[in-house]
């Protein structure tokens, strides 16, 4: 079986949960004998470096310039389409939400939806945020949608009127970050410390 992942999240994120999710998924699929490849012609993602070179089609170019992102996206769409068509996957997994198909292919499409925050709390988000609109378009063209929780699945089906038969729940896994035992007596935990969980918008 052949599975292709598109460029979207890898062009958007240098680091992040979504891009890491797809890197881990591609690696796990490969371990099961699936030919899983990421088509990210021009990207700024660091997680992709964890995959073997043969699994990634593209080049890291550091942080994208503030100007010219439209040209980079256009190049990614064209080059990804060429690469995916040559690869001939059994399915394409879109890695984020876009108003139009990021890769022109007739292969079945899969999409992962993580939450419905943009729909539930639209008043808390900047006016004109395109995420909800793009999500609706991506869901509508997907042959199947994966949700990471039953709550998200229920919200998706209710809010976007998606047939339940088109949606499956696949819970997120986890990485083992450390096997070290806690410091005896908890002396480290009693010290003042700062935990940074990443750069997030105001709704988080």
């Amino acid at each position: 079986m052949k599975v292709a992942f598109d460029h979207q999240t890898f062009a958007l994120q240098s680091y992040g949960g979504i891009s890491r999710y797809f890197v881990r998924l591609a690696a796990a699929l490969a371990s099961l004998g699936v030919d899983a490849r990421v088509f990210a012609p021009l990207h700024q993602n660091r997680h992709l470096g964890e995959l073997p070179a043969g699994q990634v089609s593209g080049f890291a170019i550091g942080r994208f310039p503030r100007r010219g992102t439209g040209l980079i996206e256009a190049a990614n769409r064209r080059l990804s389409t060429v690469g995916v068509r040559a690869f001939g996957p059994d399915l394409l997994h879109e890695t984020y939400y876009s108003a139009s198909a990021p890769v022109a292919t007739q292969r079945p499409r899969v999409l992962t939806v993580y939450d419905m925050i943009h729909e539930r709390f639209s008043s808390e988000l900047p006016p004109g945020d395109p995420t909800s609109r793009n999500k609706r378009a991506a869901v509508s063209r997907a042959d199947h949608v994966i949700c990471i929780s039953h709550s998200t699945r229920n919200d998706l089906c209710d809010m976007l009127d998606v047939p339940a038969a088109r949606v499956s729940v696949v819970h997120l896994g986890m990485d083992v970050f450390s096997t070290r035992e806690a410091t005896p007596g908890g002396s480290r935990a009693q010290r003042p410390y700062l935990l940074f969980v990443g750069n997030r918008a105001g709704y988080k």
Side-chain angles (χ1 to χ4, degrees), residues 29-144:
L29 287 172
S31 72
L32 297 173
V34 176
D35 192 352
R37 302 189 194 181
V38 176
F39 291 86
L42 302 173
H43 65 267
Q44 56 183 344
N45 191 265
R46 298 295 182 262
H47 296 302
L48 282 176
E50 301 170 19
L51 293 176
Q55 264 193 283
V56 180
S57 176
F59 303 94
I61 59 174
R63 286 191 174 275
F64 287 178
R66 292 188 178 183
R67 296 183 179 181
T69 55
L71 291 175
I72 292 174
E73 175 62 15
N76 272 333
R77 284 173 175 257
R78 180 177 292 274
L79 294 172
S80 293
T81 294
V82 171
V84 169
R85 286 179 176 175
F87 178 48
D90 295 291
L91 64 87
L92 169 72
H93 198 317
E94 294 190 14
T95 60
Y96 202 57
Y97 318 127
S98 61
S100 59
V103 175
T105 178
Q106 297 302 311
R107 301 294 183 175
R109 295 174 187 269
V110 176
L111 179 75
T112 295
V113 174
Y114 312 92
D115 57 52
M116 297 296 286
I117 288 175
H118 290 81
E119 291 74 20
R120 278 195 168 277
F121 304 104
S122 58
S123 62
E124 303 297 321
L125 298 168
D129 187 307
T131 305
S132 185
R133 181 176 66 252
N134 292 347
K135 183 192 296 181
R136 183 181 291 272
V139 168
S140 69
R141 66 174 173 266
D143 294 280
H144 199 78

Side-chain angles (χ1 to χ4, degrees), residues 4-19:
F5 297 95
D6 71 23
H7 63 276
Q8 292 183 89
T9 192
F10 305 106
L12 291 170
Q13 292 186 329
S14 296
Y15 296 95
I18 296 177
S19 56

